[in-house]
Amino acid sequence: MSMRALIAVLLSAATLAGCVSVDPRQQRADDERTCRSYGFKPGTNAYAECLQRIDLSREDDRRARLYGNRGGWGGGIGYGVGPYGGFGGYW
């Protein structure tokens, strides 16, 4: 296999790996299992707060992937681009 073909296969695999989605029901079951493993009891305020924290953390992670780290060479949209466009302040 040529180097170009190998690179194309690796890039395709990486792209497809980012497209995997989790069934919301399975995700909820996993979150509930996590909160129970911490010792929280279903039906209590602490249990609901645990689920909420997990959800908020997941949303923060999603935003970080989407927008990257605005303070430097973050990932996400505009990788390596300053917060106001261009490469200002990074060169």
Side-chain angles (χ1 to χ4, degrees):
M1 182 180 283
S2 72
M3 184 60 85
R4 278 189 155 165
L6 178 62
I7 290 173
V9 168
L10 291 175
L11 286 175
S12 297
T15 301
L16 290 175
C19 296
V20 175
S21 63
V22 178
D23 177 33
R25 292 172 293 181
Q26 181 61 45
Q27 189 171 40
R28 175 64 181 219
D30 291 343
D31 293 349
E32 289 176 353
R33 190 174 315 110
T34 298
C35 289
R36 285 192 310 271
S37 77
Y38 293 151
F40 297 114
K41 304 287 184 216
T44 64
N45 285 340
Y47 184 79
E49 288 173 6
C50 176
L51 291 172
Q52 183 180 36
R53 283 189 203 109
I54 290 172
D55 188 52
L56 291 172
S57 178
R58 188 175 294 117
E59 182 64 21
D60 285 346
D61 291 345
R62 186 192 69 79
R63 274 195 208 100
R65 283 191 311 273
L66 181 62
Y67 298 111
N69 177 4
R70 295 294 191 164
W73 286 90
I77 297 172
Y79 181 83
V81 177
Y84 304 108
F87 291 96
Y90 297 115
W91 292 99

